[in-house]
Amino acid sequence: MLARRLSPYLDLTIGLVAALMSVASLLSTDIAGIDPRLDPADPLSVAATLVAGLSLVWRRRRPVAAFAVFVTCCLVVTLTDHYIGLLSVLLLFSLYSLAAHSRRRNGVAGLVLCLLVFIGLAVLDVPDLGTSDLLQACALLLTAWALGDAIRSRRIQQSERLRIAEQEAAAARELAARAVVEERLRIARELHDVVAHSMSLIAVQAGVGGHVIRTDVAAAERALEIIAETSRKALAQTRSMLGLLRAEDADPAVSPLQGIDDMEDLVHDVRESGVDVSLTVSGAVRPLDTAIELTAYRIVQESLTNVLKHSGARQAQVTVAYVPGGVDVEVRDHGHGGSPAPAGVGGPGGHGLVGLRERTRLLGGTLDYGALDGAGFRVAAHLPSSMAVAP
């Protein structure tokens, strides 16, 4: 962070120091001892040397322009037979900056341009550029370009890794947010399934108790016992579910532990409320994934809750059939189911069946429901033996 803030001042310092040292080199060097053909410094050579050094101020912000100005000024000094001095060393730094802070093709173009310029100057036999100087200059130019290109490649790799890390972090945040939403939906479904069914039984029994409390004390007491027992079961299930949800290592697929084996108790509770419910289990009984068992239980629970709340039926049939690859669950009643409804669309079940249909789909199964020619309502589901999460 500090280096980034100091970066503009660093380049300014480099440019000023380079300009002053280059001019000082031009003015203080005994050119006669270097090459008799060199001319003494004049205002043009001093100005070109000064501008060349100052161009390094923009070596990172505008590397192409800075390099072009530097090379042009060097040519002005050399072609007017003046001593290039320190500019020959700073040219390497300018080429390095171009390769490090611009596109690769710009760096390659700068290298080729420098090589061609030095070869051309050697052909023109400018002062202070012999064959050995030419070969040394070409080697140094290649080294400066290679170093700058390596720095540029490393910077690109670091930027790419940073970009990938940011993408992965964003994806992780999105997955975490989605997991939170899914967990909230799961909690809402579980609370609905537990509370709605229990409250429906309690409401029915409370109505029965209120109706017969003065005429049939025994029936009223029985209704109160069912209310008390249903309340205890609902409280136990809610506590179990909340305890599991609070556990840090809880498996999202494992909620309160009801399964197909618990349907008999569920059917018994509904029978106590006045609906004659039959339960038929067929096929080769075998253990299924806990999430599958729980979903099958919830389908029957929600369907029977709707029988109590909406249908006015006195009879219902629950069928569980173990089939190859999964289990089929069906609940029928003989109440006033209304007009036939398309499978999976609307119906007396309200949001409960809509939630069950979504839960079934997420497990890789299917759920259909609808009225039966005005003479009842049917809920039918197929669940796989193990979870196959839908896309």
Side-chain angles (χ1 to χ4, degrees), residues 222-288:
R222 180 56 182 161
L224 290 175
E225 290 174 358
I226 294 175
I227 290 174
E229 180 64 22
T230 302
S231 300
R232 282 193 295 270
K233 289 182 179 180
L235 183 59
Q237 291 181 24
T238 302
R239 285 176 175 171
S240 174
M241 180 184 68
L242 293 178
L244 189 62
L245 291 174
R246 289 178 182 142
E248 294 182 357
D249 57 348
D251 184 351
V254 181
S255 290
L257 303 177
Q258 295 84 5
I260 295 176
D261 292 340
D262 300 297
M263 288 184 185
E264 185 63 50
D265 292 336
L266 175 65
V267 168
H268 174 75
D269 291 341
V270 177
R271 288 197 194 110
E272 293 290 337
S273 298
V275 179
D276 183 13
V277 184
S278 63
L279 172 63
T280 303
V281 179
S282 62
V285 178
R286 62 187 183 278
L288 306 174

Side-chain angles (χ1 to χ4, degrees), residues 24 81 106 118 125 154 156 206 216 295 327 342:
D81 295 333
N106 294 333
F118 271 88
D125 193 26
R154 181 181 178 184
I156 291 176
D216 192 341
T295 300
V327 61

Side-chain angles (χ1 to χ4, degrees), residues 175-318:
L175 288 175
R178 187 182 304 170
V180 170
V181 173
E182 291 176 353
E183 182 68 2
R184 288 175 178 173
L185 290 175
R186 185 171 73 92
I187 294 172
R189 285 195 294 261
E190 294 299 336
L191 287 174
H192 174 274
D193 292 340
V194 172
V195 175
H197 176 73
S198 301
M199 292 305 295
S200 296
L201 290 178
I202 291 172
V204 171
Q205 292 301 323
V208 172
H211 181 68
V212 302
I213 192 169
R214 289 185 178 86
T215 59
D216 192 341
V217 176
E221 290 179 349
R222 180 56 182 161
L224 290 175
E225 290 174 358
I226 294 175
I227 290 174
E229 180 64 22
T230 302
S231 300
R232 282 193 295 270
K233 289 182 179 180
L235 183 59
Q237 291 181 24
T238 302
R239 285 176 175 171
S240 174
M241 180 184 68
L242 293 178
L244 189 62
L245 291 174
R246 289 178 182 142
E248 294 182 357
D249 57 348
D251 184 351
V254 181
S255 290
L257 303 177
Q258 295 84 5
I260 295 176
D261 292 340
D262 300 297
M263 288 184 185
E264 185 63 50
D265 292 336
L266 175 65
V267 168
H268 174 75
D269 291 341
V270 177
R271 288 197 194 110
E272 293 290 337
S273 298
V275 179
D276 183 13
V277 184
S278 63
L279 172 63
T280 303
V281 179
S282 62
V285 178
R286 62 187 183 278
L288 306 174
D289 277 4
T290 305
I292 302 298
E293 294 248 359
L294 175 63
T295 300
Y297 180 90
R298 294 301 187 208
I299 290 171
V300 174
Q301 183 184 55
E302 176 65 22
S303 301
L304 294 180
T305 299
N306 290 331
V307 171
L308 292 172
K309 291 168 58 178
H310 303 292
S311 74
R314 308 309 301 170
Q315 289 183 329
Q317 293 84 39
V318 177

Side-chain angles (χ1 to χ4, degrees), residues 35-83:
D35 194 319
R37 295 176 296 170
L38 291 173
D39 294 335
D42 60 8
L44 177 62
S45 62
V46 171
T49 301
L50 184 64
V51 172
L54 290 175
S55 69
L56 296 177
V57 173
W58 297 279
R59 69 184 188 90
R60 283 190 285 190
R61 284 180 292 177
R62 295 182 177 86
V64 175
F67 178 78
V69 170
F70 193 97
V71 171
T72 301
C73 291
C74 288
L75 288 174
V76 170
V77 174
T78 299
L79 293 177
T80 55
D81 295 333
H82 291 94
Y83 179 56

Side-chain angles (χ1 to χ4, degrees), residues 21-22 57 79 123 134 148 189 192 219 263 282 322 331 334 341 364:
M21 292 182 64
S22 298
V57 173
L79 293 177
V123 171
L134 174 63
R189 285 195 294 261
H192 174 274
M263 288 184 185
S282 62
Y322 288 87
V331 180
H334 302 284

